[in-house]
Amino acid sequence: MDCIFCGLIREGTASWVERGPTACAFTPLNPLAPGHTLVVPTRHYADVFETPPEVLALVTVLVQRVAEAARTALGASGVNILSASGPGSEQSVPHLHFHVVPRWLDDGISTWPAGRSVQQVTGDPAARLADALASGRHPTS
């Protein structure tokens, strides 16, 4: 299977912000704001569930570096860091990616969800998550 991000990485045809052996950053075709950048693992991993923890750590380090560059080089007063993983998340490309969107006060965009999920779960969701983490059912144990 080949994905659009893997093709960009292989062919080198993206507008690169940074290229590294584990993580890279490039601008999307239709940026939400000046400096909007996609940060992805260089190797193909479909989503956060599939990505090894050590790769995810290096990708998030690059996310932080891009965010800081948006603040210092572009004068952004903040950033939105957006990612979707899995079929229920509206993930648009099946390659883990983080959008780093520079933001300025009164910039005219909103990236926060406008509503709340209608999904219901039984019991206390926080307690269920805590139990799952305590039981070792996660990749960092």
Side-chain angles (χ1 to χ4, degrees):
M1 176 190 106
D2 200 24
C3 80
I4 190 166
F5 292 168
C6 288
L8 291 172
I9 292 165
R10 183 180 58 253
E11 297 163 12
T13 54
S15 178
W16 296 104
V17 173
E18 181 161 307
R19 293 185 76 172
T22 306
C24 54
F26 54 92
T27 59
L29 291 177
N30 296 304
L32 295 173
H36 176 179
T37 302
L38 295 172
V39 179
V40 307
T42 303
R43 202 167 151 216
H44 183 84
Y45 298 101
D47 53 33
V48 71
F49 306 108
E50 185 179 294
T51 307
E54 60 278 6
V55 173
L56 185 58
L58 292 171
V59 171
T60 57
V61 166
L62 184 53
V63 166
Q64 185 179 44
R65 290 180 57 229
V66 170
E68 182 60 33
R71 186 165 55 176
T72 59
L74 304 177
S77 58
V79 297
N80 286 120
I81 299 168
L82 310 166
S83 184
S85 282
S89 69
E90 300 179 21
Q91 183 177 4
S92 58
V93 177
H95 186 123
L96 177 67
H97 58 286
F98 293 89
H99 295 260
V100 181
V101 183
R103 297 296 306 273
W104 295 265
L105 294 174
D106 301 318
D107 61 10
I109 64 172
S110 175
T111 53
W112 202 256
R116 295 188 184 270
S117 175
V118 298
Q119 182 65 40
Q120 299 290 315
V121 297
T122 58
D124 177 2
R128 289 179 63 182
L129 291 170
D131 287 346
L133 291 171
S135 72
R137 294 182 304 220
H138 56 92
T140 59
S141 62

